[in-house]
Amino acid sequence: MRDAGPVAYLPRYDLFAIARYAHVQAALTNWQDFSSARGVGLADFAREKPWRLPSLLLETDPPLHDRTRKLMDRVLSPAAIRALRADFTAAADALIDALVERGSFDAVRDLAEAYPLTVFPDAVGMPRENRRFLLPYGNMVFNSFGPRNAFFEAALRDAAPVLEWVQAQSRREALAPAGFGAVIHAAVDTGEVARDEAEILARSLLTAGVDTTVNGLGAALYCLARFPAQFERLRADPSLARGAFEEAVRLESPVQTFFRTTVHDVAIGRDVGTGGKAGGDGMTSGGMTGDGTTEGEETKGETTKIETIGAGRKVLLFLGAANRDPRRWEQPDDYDITRRAAGHVGFGTGIHGCVGAVLARLEGEVVLTALARKVARIEIAGTPRRRYNNTLRGLASLPITLHAA
Ligand code: 4MI
């Protein structure tokens, strides 16, 4: 799809696809042309009723988004995250100690799932019971951004029994007086958000806080297991842990795709250069009408087609493809923990850029630091199994053996 041009048309789902880094980056930072309010999945909320109340964060545009995002920026502020560091580090050290002792285990279930399922609901202020219910719920939400295919239907069946539970956990009474949940609900008292809005924002935490980091940690473990020379470098210098996590998010891109909807005609395909050194933003909006190819344009020896996407069309942004675009990255398919991975779009970018990235990076850092200090070698001990999802890329199972340092 990257090589097909700046934009490709996918007839099966009647949508447009953008897969080159420069164009994905440009679309993500252009909320005026590429709206989130009609859903960031294939379903167009202007035509079909959403399966759940739309998120007040993910599935909104300014000005509503500015208000809710401001609150969530405060909930997940650097200071709030700093306060968690000691507990998150202790939990990572304890878990890795126990797993080294055990030797062989499933890196997905016993580490990538187990760690976020402990520390994240604690930080939110959730009760201990039934935390694993967050997994089928997240799996359902991320499948629901795609077509109503077999993955979607299976995920819906799995999640049906926990839907009511998730809603109940979003309520003020269900959440501890200290924690992210309480901070959201306290904003009702100052009039910043309404009570029903606070519940939907708390739901965003429960939706976005687990499956994402499970697959982020899973990606990092899978990379370190497959690239032993990189794990050696990490062991030699555990301060590389943050970079090792970031590079895994770039390479594996746990969140592979998100949609936007054009609010008017949008022209795509002006030369935006390569390597992120471009001056232009790759987009011009308004003025152009019609659909399909408009004209060809000569740019630095390469003919770039300018296509106009009509108003009200779904556009699929391929974050994973952008993060491996050879126009932007050297040796894009290599896992290199000292690469300058900054600028990757694995956490998105622009006004909808991941609000929880600071927390995800903390989880990645402390888990990889513990591995670097306590483990001499990570051995793949069985056949990894993929978990297929319409949005997420990750594994269902990764049998490994840890050899103690
Ligand atoms: C990028 S993952 C994600 C973010 C937010 C929500 C769900 C998933 C939500 O429900 O707000």
Side-chain angles (χ1 to χ4, degrees), residues 52 55 57-58 141-142 145 203-204 207-208 212 255 258:
R52 59 171 197 164
S55 165
L57 201 60
L58 184 73
V141 170
F142 286 99
F145 296 132
R203 189 195 67 181
S204 284
T207 310
T212 47
V255 177
F258 265 125

Side-chain angles (χ1 to χ4, degrees), residues 75-327:
V75 171
L76 296 161
S77 71
I81 304 307
R82 226 176 292 127
L84 297 170
R85 173 173 279 275
D87 284 354
F88 275 43
T89 304
D93 286 339
L95 180 60
I96 300 302
D97 281 340
L99 290 173
V100 168
E101 177 80 26
R102 198 164 142 193
S104 298
F105 59 92
D106 188 332
V108 174
R109 185 193 53 208
D110 302 321
L111 209 180
E113 291 179 356
Y115 183 73
L117 275 176
T118 310
V119 297
F120 182 75
D122 277 351
V124 171
M126 294 178 71
R128 300 227 161 261
E129 303 77 51
N130 300 327
R131 290 176 170 189
R132 281 194 74 82
F133 287 3
L134 294 172
L135 292 174
Y137 184 73
N139 189 50
M140 165 68 208
V141 170
F142 286 99
N143 271 306
S144 75
F145 296 132
R148 272 207 169 249
N149 54 15
F151 297 140
F152 183 111
E153 298 298 343
L156 184 56
R157 269 196 306 278
D158 290 347
V162 307
L163 294 181
E164 220 173 294
W165 176 86
V166 169
Q167 191 165 347
Q169 302 312 304
S170 307
R171 287 202 271 273
R172 194 167 195 171
E173 306 72 47
L175 296 160
F180 299 146
V183 179
I184 293 175
H185 284 287
V188 176
D189 305 337
T190 60
E192 205 175 340
V193 292
R195 190 192 163 82
D196 56 330
E197 290 179 326
E199 287 183 9
I200 300 170
L201 287 170
R203 189 195 67 181
S204 284
L205 286 182
L206 308 189
T207 310
V210 177
D211 281 62
T212 47
T213 47
V214 165
N215 286 291
L217 290 171
L221 293 164
Y222 193 34
C223 285
L224 291 169
R226 279 176 303 164
F227 296 86
Q230 298 300 309
F231 185 60
E232 275 307 311
R233 295 174 73 198
L234 177 62
R235 286 188 64 213
D237 182 2
S239 77
L240 297 175
R242 278 182 88 82
F245 181 70
E246 205 65 33
E247 169 69 346
V249 174
R250 179 198 67 83
L251 184 66
E252 293 297 327
S253 299
V255 177
Q256 284 276 300
T257 48
F258 265 125
F259 287 85
R260 294 292 188 260
T261 311
T262 53
V263 294
H264 35 245
D265 292 357
V266 179
I268 299 184
R270 290 204 183 280
D271 176 39
V272 289
T274 54
K277 298 165 213 128
D281 73 353
M283 309 283 165
T284 54
S285 70
M288 299 186 77
T289 51
D291 51 35
T293 304
T294 310
E295 60 183 286
E297 185 181 81
E298 199 69 30
T299 54
K300 292 187 198 124
E302 185 191 347
T303 299
T304 303
K305 275 189 217 152
I306 296 182
E307 305 237 14
T308 302
I309 303 176
R313 303 305 304 267
K314 282 285 174 177
V315 183
L316 185 48
L317 307 179
F318 283 83
L319 311 178
N323 281 342
R324 291 182 181 222
D325 185 350
R327 296 164 190 79

Side-chain angles (χ1 to χ4, degrees), residues 359-377:
L359 190 58
R361 287 176 173 133
L362 174 62
E363 292 186 33
E365 179 194 337
V366 298
V367 168
L368 297 193
T369 302
L371 283 170
R373 294 219 174 102
K374 298 167 190 287
V375 173
R377 191 159 68 86

